[in-house]
Amino acid sequence: METEKESPKKYSFKSIAKLTIPLVLSVLIFYFIYRNEDWGELIGYIKDSEIGWLLLPVAIGMFSHFLRAIRWKMLIKASGMNAPLGNIFHSVMIGYFANFLFPRAGEVARCGVLKKSDGISFTTLIGTVITERLFDMLVTALIIVATIILQYQYFASTLATIDLGSKIMNMLPFIVIFTVIIVCVGVFFYKKRNESKLYDKGRETLKKIGTGFASFKDVSNKALFIALSLLIFFCYFMMLYVSFWAFDATKELSISAGLVVYVMGALGIIAPVQGGIGAWHYLTITALSFYFIPETEAKAFALATHTVQTIVVYVGFGLLSYLIMSIKGHRNNS
């Protein structure tokens, strides 16, 4: 008797769009930035850079991810579970690799890897990741505030050269329209809150955030956890700042200038595109222009820094971690 063949899995337009739109967006932004660039001149600047100062951030980045693994282990242990630090570290790296392929997929991916390797509840792991992200948001907010304070005079002098009043008046119609739309949408969803899945999902998300934040109270060494959180972001900053030393045009930039470039670039990484491609380049180049770095040199810096760190850290070590965990899983199943 002939067995019925399984029908191929159908992919919805929504699922395809989630994969393709961020990729197309990042490619378009990248193309827009570099479309008129003289690539011979651009590559020339990169060839003249000090390669050692581009590779040292790779080591700093790996150290920061190891610190993140230690911090995550503390949260996992506080939730009553445990896993070897090696497995946690490889899960973190696989998460970064997944983020490069599919924006915002890394948190789910690393939880899934650790669930499979060590049998930890997926829901529990998601809760620990929420706690992580809350502390990341707090540290990021502190960095932004510190940057504004340190660079206040610079921002004040820059704003003084801009006719801010006329710009606001030109944008006023758009601001009013945007505000009206937001208010109308808010009122609509509030009235439909009892029958709205989106409202229920938002309420559930807020509840998870509250639960995740509360789980911090069970961490055995809270001071160490906070110190790790600060040190992780210090490493992130140093990955960028050390890269300045690779190029003649950027090696004289101050730490406070580095903070501005870091904060701008961080917004690009947060953008829903693969690995911040395009968005990180644009915002970093824009920030460097504040300090009168020539456009071509700024583009060379952004291209070289992002490419080296992405290929070596997130793709290279991410793939290596995936292979290691796959081999471990195969041995455990045999």
Side-chain angles (χ1 to χ4, degrees), residues 228-299:
L228 286 171
S229 298
L230 295 173
L231 189 54
I232 287 167
F233 278 84
F234 175 73
C235 289
Y236 289 170
F237 168 72
M238 289 306 296
M239 288 172 70
L240 174 79
Y241 190 65
V242 169
S243 299
F244 282 169
W245 304 338
F247 293 85
D248 290 336
T250 55
K251 64 183 179 183
E252 300 298 330
L253 290 176
S254 66
I255 290 177
S256 55
L259 280 171
V260 172
V261 179
Y262 169 78
V263 168
M264 291 282 284
L267 296 176
I269 294 296
I270 293 170
V273 293
Q274 276 83 347
I277 295 174
W280 185 90
H281 295 78
Y282 176 76
L283 291 171
T284 298
I285 293 164
T286 301
L288 288 171
S289 71
F290 296 162
Y291 300 95
F292 308 104
I293 304 300
E295 186 177 3
T296 301
E297 283 93 325
K299 289 181 178 180

Side-chain angles (χ1 to χ4, degrees), residues 22-82:
L23 179 60
V24 171
L25 184 60
S26 64
V27 170
L28 286 175
I29 296 172
F30 189 87
Y31 170 76
F32 174 78
I33 296 168
Y34 289 96
R35 71 191 189 285
N36 295 324
E37 198 60 42
D38 182 341
W39 279 86
E41 186 179 7
L42 198 70
I43 297 301
Y45 279 118
I46 295 174
K47 285 182 177 179
D48 290 339
S49 67
E50 297 287 342
I51 190 65
W53 294 125
L54 289 175
L55 292 177
L56 181 57
V58 170
I60 298 172
M62 293 305 297
F63 179 62
S64 74
H65 303 326
F66 180 71
L67 295 177
R68 183 172 288 278
I70 295 173
R71 190 182 67 166
W72 194 22
K73 183 177 175 69
M74 293 176 71
L75 287 172
I76 293 170
K77 195 171 181 180
S79 68
M81 306 291 180
N82 209 351

Side-chain angles (χ1 to χ4, degrees), residues 5-238:
K5 293 183 179 179
E6 289 186 6
S7 59
K9 185 177 179 181
K10 293 182 179 179
Y11 294 94
S12 67
F13 174 78
K14 184 178 178 181
S15 63
I16 294 172
K18 281 183 178 180
L19 299 180
T20 57
I21 290 177
L23 179 60
V24 171
L25 184 60
S26 64
V27 170
L28 286 175
I29 296 172
F30 189 87
Y31 170 76
F32 174 78
I33 296 168
Y34 289 96
R35 71 191 189 285
N36 295 324
E37 198 60 42
D38 182 341
W39 279 86
E41 186 179 7
L42 198 70
I43 297 301
Y45 279 118
I46 295 174
K47 285 182 177 179
D48 290 339
S49 67
E50 297 287 342
I51 190 65
W53 294 125
L54 289 175
L55 292 177
L56 181 57
V58 170
I60 298 172
M62 293 305 297
F63 179 62
S64 74
H65 303 326
F66 180 71
L67 295 177
R68 183 172 288 278
I70 295 173
R71 190 182 67 166
W72 194 22
K73 183 177 175 69
M74 293 176 71
L75 287 172
I76 293 170
K77 195 171 181 180
S79 68
M81 306 291 180
N82 209 351
L85 183 58
N87 286 0
I88 294 174
F89 173 75
H90 291 309
S91 298
V92 167
M93 296 309 301
I94 291 170
Y96 281 119
F97 179 61
N99 269 338
F100 179 75
L101 296 176
F102 312 110
R104 310 281 81 88
E107 314 306 349
V108 174
R110 62 166 161 148
C111 291
V113 169
L114 209 56
K115 177 186 183 300
K116 185 176 180 181
S117 65
D118 293 272
I120 301 176
S121 163
F122 184 81
T123 305
T124 299
L125 290 171
I126 288 293
T128 61
V129 168
I130 290 173
T131 305
E132 265 200 313
R133 287 303 174 221
L134 283 167
F135 276 89
D136 288 348
M137 288 168 58
L138 287 172
V139 175
T140 301
L142 286 172
I143 293 172
I144 292 173
V145 170
T147 302
I148 293 172
I149 292 171
L150 289 171
Q151 292 289 77
Y152 175 76
Q153 291 297 331
Y154 172 78
F155 289 131
S157 62
T158 302
L159 288 173
T161 64
I162 300 173
D163 187 359
L164 201 57
S166 64
K167 287 187 178 295
I168 292 174
M169 289 305 295
N170 290 335
M171 293 177 63
L172 190 58
F174 299 99
I175 295 172
V176 171
I177 292 170
F178 179 76
T179 303
V180 170
I181 292 172
I182 292 296
V183 170
C184 290
V185 171
V187 170
F188 173 79
F189 279 113
Y190 179 77
K191 288 183 176 180
K192 298 287 185 179
R193 63 188 183 279
N194 293 326
E195 53 189 88
S196 171
K197 291 182 180 179
L198 183 62
Y199 180 84
D200 290 337
K201 186 176 180 181
R203 187 166 53 185
E204 186 64 27
T205 300
L206 289 175
K207 189 185 295 182
K208 286 181 179 179
I209 289 173
T211 303
F213 193 72
S215 68
F216 172 68
K217 71 180 187 300
D218 297 320
V219 172
S220 58
N221 192 334
K222 294 179 177 61
L224 177 61
F225 185 90
I226 293 171
L228 286 171
S229 298
L230 295 173
L231 189 54
I232 287 167
F233 278 84
F234 175 73
C235 289
Y236 289 170
F237 168 72
M238 289 306 296

